Amino acid sequence: ATLAYIPHTTHGNRHLKPMSMSAEGESDSRPRFLNVPESGVAMVRQCRDAIERAYDAGIMRQTVRLAVVPPDQPIGGLAPQIWTGGPEARYASAGLPLTVELLRQVKANKSIDRERRASILPPTVTAEDVFDFDGSGVATASAREGSAGDVKAAIFFNSLDAEYLNGGTPPQHHNTIYRSISTHHDCPSRIEKIDAETGKDRLFLLVNPGWKDTDPLESWGFNLLQPRAKRRAQELIFGRSPDMRYDVVYACMRVTLSSDHFCVSIKAYPYDWQNYAYHVPERVEYEGCPPVYLGATAEQPKDSELQLLIDAHPEFSELEGSAT
C-alpha cells in the first residue's frame, strides 16, 4: 500500500490535513513521518524519544498513553485485546512491564548534556502496587549517576477512585519480579505526594491515567462521595503551568471503527497526531500490508473524523466502490 495525498478537509471546527515532511530535528508541531510501531517494545522506543524531546523543552510533568499490549505483541493489524483477567491482568502483563522498560530507557538529567546522556548506564527500576483490585502502581527509576536523573511514573491511576486524589491507606503490597514492599499510612494525595517527592526539576510521568484527555475534568463528574474531586483535579493536574500540567507528549491509540476498519493514531511531541488505517485483515491479498496513512490532526481525532479520513482516501473508497 502506498501513502496517498489526502485533500484538506474541514470537519466541524477541527482541521484535517495531509502529511508534510519535516526536516530532521525541526521543533514545531507540523506532522512528520512516524511509523506505527511493530510491537510494544518498538512503541516504548518511540515513546522514549517523545518524552526526552519534551523534557529537553522543559516539560517536567507528562502524560503518556501506551497501547495496552504485552511488550512482544504487535500494535497494528489486530483489534485491541480483551483482557480476561480484568485490570490486574492489564497491569501485570502490559502496563507494568511496558512502563518498567520505558523507565529503563528514558534519560532525563539536566546536569548532563544531551550528547553525553546516551552513554549513561540504565537506571535501577523498582515498582510497587497501589491497589491490587484495579491494577495500578508507581514505578521509580533510580539513576546511577545521581538522584538528579531519577524518574517516577504513576501507572493506570483511576479518576473514579478518590484515593488517587485524596490519599489513604493502600492494601498490603506483595513481592513480584518488579514490585517492592512498601507501607504508606495517612498519606496526602497520591499524585500530590509523588509530585512533591519528585521535585520540580525531575521528571514525573502519568502512564495511561483513567481520564479522558479531550475533556479531562468531566471524568470526575459529580459524586456525593467526592464533592471536591473535580476541584482537586484542577488544582493538582490540569490548572498548573504548561510545564507542570501533565500534557500528553506521547500516545498510541488503537480504535476499531467497525468490522472493516481498524485505526492507529500516534501523537509524539512536538508533532501533530498522525492517523493510519489497516485493510480488512480477512482479505488475503492484504495480509501483511503496512497501514495506510490517512492524515494529521492537531488534536486527538474523534471516531467520526477517522471515518471521514477513511472515506476520503482513494485506497479505501475505490475498494468500497468495487465491492458494491
Side-chain angles (χ1 to χ4, degrees), residues 33-310:
F33 186 75
L34 291 168
N35 288 317
V36 175
E38 293 184 356
S39 65
V41 171
M43 174 181 62
V44 164
R45 291 195 296 268
Q46 197 176 61
C47 180
R48 172 205 64 200
D49 293 343
I51 288 171
E52 292 183 351
R53 287 193 296 267
Y55 176 81
D56 288 333
I59 301 174
M60 300 298 166
R61 299 294 181 267
Q62 305 178 14
T63 294
V64 299
R65 293 196 175 275
L66 304 174
V68 184
V69 298
D72 60 346
Q73 294 298 305
I75 297 295
L78 296 172
Q81 183 168 347
I82 297 175
W83 294 91
T84 55
E88 301 96 326
R90 293 172 67 247
Y91 174 75
S93 299
L96 181 59
L98 287 171
T99 303
V100 167
E101 182 57 31
L102 179 63
L103 293 191
R104 281 179 52 81
Q105 295 189 27
V106 168
K107 306 292 178 61
N109 190 331
K110 290 288 187 183
S111 66
I112 300 176
D113 61 70
R114 189 172 183 177
E115 290 71 23
R116 287 179 52 217
R117 283 185 219 155
S119 61
I120 294 176
L121 293 173
T124 300
V125 181
T126 58
E128 59 183 15
D129 294 343
V130 173
F131 292 128
D132 290 337
F133 64 85
D134 72 350
S136 58
V138 177
T140 302
S142 300
R144 297 173 187 262
E145 71 279 4
S147 61
D150 290 355
V151 180
K152 285 185 175 288
I155 311 163
F156 292 171
F157 271 31
N158 184 355
S159 64
L160 300 180
D161 196 318
E163 294 295 332
Y164 293 110
L165 291 178
N166 299 327
T169 303
Q172 183 177 358
H173 295 70
H174 59 277
N175 284 324
T176 71
I177 188 171
Y178 292 119
R179 301 170 195 172
S180 61
I181 295 178
S182 156
T183 55
H184 294 295
H185 298 284
D186 301 321
C187 58
S189 156
R190 296 188 190 285
I191 293 177
E192 186 176 36
K193 183 176 186 295
I194 299 169
D195 179 273
E197 290 175 346
T198 305
K200 62 183 178 61
D201 294 324
R202 289 186 292 185
L203 181 62
F204 176 29
L205 306 173
L206 298 181
V207 179
N208 291 43
W211 52 78
K212 298 177 181 178
D213 296 318
T214 51
D215 196 359
L217 286 175
E218 289 306 310
S219 298
W220 275 271
F222 178 73
N223 188 328
L224 289 175
L225 300 178
Q226 308 177 49
R228 297 181 62 249
K230 184 180 290 190
R231 188 169 75 183
R232 288 285 284 161
Q234 177 70 17
E235 293 170 354
L236 298 176
I237 303 171
F238 308 112
R240 306 176 73 182
S241 61
D243 60 328
M244 302 290 279
R245 68 186 177 202
Y246 302 95
D247 285 342
V248 176
V249 301
Y250 181 82
C252 182
M253 309 296 287
R254 306 191 302 162
V255 179
T256 301
L257 296 180
S258 66
S259 59
D260 292 337
H261 296 133
F262 172 70
C263 300
V264 175
S265 295
I266 299 173
K267 163 70 179 177
Y269 181 90
Y271 309 109
D272 284 345
W273 288 81
Q274 295 183 39
N275 307 293
Y276 298 82
Y278 285 79
H279 288 285
V280 182
E282 287 76 15
R283 295 189 61 158
V284 176
E285 64 267 36
Y286 292 113
E287 184 176 354
C289 279
V292 177
Y293 181 79
L294 298 175
T297 53
E299 302 173 33
Q300 181 179 348
K302 300 175 182 177
D303 289 1
S304 58
E305 293 172 333
L306 286 172
Q307 189 63 59
L308 182 68
L309 288 171
I310 288 173

